[in-house]
Amino acid sequence: MSIIGKKISETRKSKGLTQEELAELSKVNLRTIQRIENNESEPRGKTLILICEVLDINIEDLINSKKIIEDNINSNLVYGFRLASKGKRFLANLVESFIYFITILIPYRIYKTPSLKELLNENSIDFVFAPVLGLIVGAIFYPMFIGNLGHRIFGLKVISSETGDDYKKAEEGAIRELLKGVLSFFLIPIIWILWDDKNQNLYDKLTKTYVVEKNDKGTITY
């Protein structure tokens, strides 16, 4: 329901009026009242004035509230898609990391061979593991999911911040996830996103990408 329709409906009910009574008092067609409250149309001009007079609603405050909400929603839209929230991005990353930890890191820790121990010490293995895994994951998953495994699970995808096109090439995904792996070791991406108005990490900016809601495009609702 739009902010105007919702306000009219709530105020009418709080005053104990039926839609029929509001229509009669305001001299506005009943069907028009119903369409407004069902979000099928939005009152304008004389219709809005008549309804607000009966319900004692300040028109200026109502219009300003609507504008504030629309501006806030539009600020979170890029190329018609809603930006993924910081919270959802964090959960996607957390779940993805947990899956890799269970399926890859634990078996590796248990079954790693002496040759690997000789080739790399423990600290260097930890440092190399994340970027190499990112490189492989990006190359495999981006062409399939337009993002990584966490994005897929939470209904997100990666798009170009310059064109809005899907970020689905293997080499693009590999580079993005490689940077993510390297920077995550220093916790830089986690700190960066907290203050960014587009909910971007540092590797998003370097690869010129946004993470957006995959199926949330175009329509403003309240």
Side-chain angles (χ1 to χ4, degrees), residues 100-111:
Y100 294 149
F101 179 77
I102 295 297
T103 60
I104 299 176
L105 190 57
I106 289 180
Y108 160 75
R109 288 293 186 184
I110 295 174
Y111 298 111

Side-chain angles (χ1 to χ4, degrees), residues 30 58 95 153 219:
L30 174 60
N58 187 299
V95 169
I153 293 171
T219 302

Side-chain angles (χ1 to χ4, degrees), residues 1 6 21 26 44-45 52 73 82 95 98 115 164 169 177 181 205 222:
M1 181 180 293
K6 182 178 180 180
E21 289 171 334
S26 64
R44 299 180 184 278
C52 287
I73 291 175
R82 195 176 309 282
V95 169
F98 179 75
S115 60
K169 293 181 180 179
E177 292 296 313
K205 292 184 178 292
Y222 302 90

Side-chain angles (χ1 to χ4, degrees), residues 23-187:
E24 183 179 349
L25 292 170
S26 64
K27 309 302 181 186
V28 174
N29 185 274
L30 174 60
R31 179 54 185 156
T32 300
I33 300 291
Q34 293 171 336
R35 287 174 59 83
I36 291 169
E37 294 194 4
N38 290 334
N39 200 31
E40 296 174 12
S41 67
E42 191 168 282
R44 299 180 184 278
K46 185 177 180 179
T47 298
L48 180 60
I49 293 172
L50 290 171
I51 293 174
C52 287
E53 284 180 349
V54 171
L55 297 177
D56 195 25
I57 296 174
N58 187 299
I59 296 179
E60 186 175 346
D61 290 345
L62 184 61
I63 293 175
N64 287 339
S65 296
K66 177 178 180 290
K67 187 177 185 303
I68 290 171
I69 292 176
E70 286 181 344
D71 288 345
N72 182 59
I73 291 175
N74 286 327
S75 69
N76 291 320
L77 292 177
V78 290
Y79 298 103
F81 291 98
R82 195 176 309 282
L83 287 167
S85 67
K86 294 178 176 67
K88 184 169 282 191
R89 291 198 63 180
F90 173 76
L91 287 175
N93 187 57
L94 187 66
V95 169
E96 180 190 38
S97 299
F98 179 75
I99 292 173
Y100 294 149
F101 179 77
I102 295 297
T103 60
I104 299 176
L105 190 57
I106 289 180
Y108 160 75
R109 288 293 186 184
I110 295 174
Y111 298 111
K112 62 184 176 181
T113 64
S115 60
L116 281 175
K117 288 183 179 180
E118 294 171 1
L119 181 63
L120 298 168
N121 61 42
E122 289 293 324
N123 291 331
S124 62
I125 288 175
D126 288 337
F127 181 78
V128 170
F129 181 81
V132 170
L133 176 62
L135 190 69
I136 297 171
V137 164
I140 294 175
F141 287 148
Y142 275 63
M144 294 189 296
F145 302 149
I146 319 177
N148 58 41
L149 185 58
H151 296 149
R152 171 70 173 184
I153 293 171
F154 283 84
L156 307 176
K157 72 173 182 176
V158 181
I159 64 172
S160 167
S161 63
E162 293 184 313
T163 65
D165 293 336
D166 289 345
Y167 212 71
K168 59 183 180 180
K169 293 181 180 179
E171 61 270 24
E172 292 176 338
I175 293 173
R176 186 177 184 277
E177 292 296 313
L178 171 64
L179 286 172
K180 175 183 174 182
V182 172
L183 295 174
S184 293
F185 189 81
F186 301 101
L187 299 181

